[in-house]
Amino acid sequence: MDRLLAIMAKLRDPDGGCPWDLKQDFATIVPHTLEEAYEVADTIERQSWDELPGELGDLLFQVVFYAQLGKERQWFDFEEVARRICDKLERRHPHVFAEAAIPESELKANWEASKSAERADKGEHSVLDDIPQAMPALNRALKIQKRVAAVGFDWDALAPVVAKIHEEVDEVLAEVNQPAVDSDRVEDEIGDLLFAVTNLARHLKVNPEQALRRANGKFERRFRGVEALASDSGRALLQHSLEELEQYWQQLKRREP
């Protein structure tokens, strides 16, 4: 860790440091942080365990970069970053570190109470106050729903969750069937539908972002197969009818376990 911090300081040294690293600030590093996080997720999904240490190192470097920027501005350093997460973990796990007797059934409520107190200390009073705006929309929707569910704003059965999806589909169709289609209203209704589907995923204990990533991968795999079958036919993809392409698709689907 000391070696990594020293490397980071050298990269940011105005006398002989890296020109690219010297140009960066907090805002310019954010896209790289998100990219590295997705690469970690992708590596885990592919179960490429030999690659994972390298990808985790890339992600750790992002934290070190922010810490260096903070140190240069005398705002905080890596030691402060590590201290804060240690304090938070110990505070949120009194049943582990403070030897407090907390029944397992009460652990979630205790966790939420701890987070609520932390929000209050920061002047945040809504359970939604500290959910990052920059999160991917599906994951943010899931986070919002979990927060409000924790304070009792949730259905306790699956039927109304599913009924809400049907209701939102009907509202989308009602908008697109208007004589003059309002694209903003259609977008609003599509958003409501996606939010409702996210809620169904949550009730089924499925992460919607992960589920959509899997669906993307499945579609990509099958479509590449369609392209291969079209090529084997001796005709370009665009020379096929939709019906022929659908036959290829179903053929590939039947081959899957």
Side-chain angles (χ1 to χ4, degrees):
M1 196 68 237
D2 289 340
R3 180 185 174 198
L4 179 57
L5 292 171
I7 290 172
M8 183 72 256
K10 180 62 176 176
L11 291 172
R12 288 283 298 180
D13 188 345
D15 183 17
C18 172
W20 185 89
D21 290 280
L22 287 166
K23 291 179 182 178
Q24 306 311 309
D25 57 28
F26 285 99
T28 62
I29 292 298
V30 169
H32 301 283
T33 307
L34 296 174
E35 180 180 340
E36 297 300 349
Y38 283 126
E39 289 184 4
V40 167
D42 180 70
T43 303
I44 292 173
E45 287 176 8
R46 293 186 287 106
Q47 298 186 12
S48 298
W49 309 122
D50 59 326
E51 297 178 21
L52 188 56
E55 297 298 345
L56 289 172
D58 291 342
L59 185 58
L60 175 60
F61 179 70
Q62 301 301 304
V63 177
V64 169
F65 209 134
Y66 291 121
Q68 177 65 29
L69 293 174
K71 184 177 182 180
E72 291 169 7
R73 291 159 177 77
Q74 298 184 342
W75 293 345
F76 59 86
D77 58 12
F78 185 82
E79 184 70 22
E80 176 68 8
V81 172
R83 183 189 67 77
R84 290 201 185 189
I85 185 58
C86 288
D87 289 348
K88 181 187 291 186
L89 290 172
E90 290 178 350
R91 183 171 62 251
R92 291 187 178 179
H93 296 82
H95 55 293
V96 175
F97 297 103
E99 298 183 358
I102 301 176
E104 185 175 350
S105 60
E106 297 179 14
L107 290 179
K108 184 176 181 180
N110 186 74
W111 177 274
E112 292 298 336
S114 175
K115 291 198 293 185
S116 179
E118 290 168 9
R119 287 194 291 270
D121 288 342
K122 292 187 289 185
E124 300 170 344
H125 302 291
S126 170
V127 297
L128 305 177
D129 274 346
D130 61 344
I131 300 178
Q133 293 286 344
M135 286 181 71
L138 280 177
N139 275 342
R140 190 164 191 273
L142 180 63
K143 189 89 167 180
I144 289 170
Q145 292 169 4
K146 284 183 175 180
R147 286 284 181 87
V148 301
V151 294
F153 194 72
D154 193 18
W155 283 302
D156 59 3
L158 201 59
V161 178
V162 175
K164 186 64 175 175
I165 293 175
H166 291 300
E167 175 187 327
E168 298 299 349
V169 170
D170 290 341
E171 291 182 4
V172 169
L173 296 178
E175 287 298 331
V176 300
N177 288 325
Q178 293 293 322
V181 177
D182 185 329
S183 59
D184 286 338
R185 290 185 63 84
V186 172
E187 183 176 301
D188 283 344
E189 297 301 344
I190 289 289
D192 291 343
L193 175 58
L194 290 171
F195 194 86
V197 171
T198 300
N199 201 30
L200 175 61
R202 179 179 63 86
H203 274 263
L204 296 176
K205 303 188 185 317
V206 171
N207 184 294
E209 186 83 17
Q210 179 70 12
L212 186 55
R213 286 170 64 87
R214 289 185 64 176
N216 288 343
K218 184 194 300 180
F219 183 92
E220 182 179 0
R221 183 175 65 253
R222 288 179 182 173
F223 190 77
R224 289 179 185 275
V226 169
E227 289 178 315
L229 290 174
S231 177
D232 291 343
S233 75
R235 289 181 293 149
L237 204 63
L238 288 173
Q239 293 176 319
H240 287 73
S241 68
L242 178 59
E243 290 73 17
E244 289 175 312
L245 296 177
E246 176 64 21
Q247 287 178 2
Y248 291 154
W249 181 275
Q250 293 301 327
Q251 178 180 337
L252 291 162
K253 188 176 179 179
R254 287 192 296 270
R255 292 180 186 174
E256 293 184 353

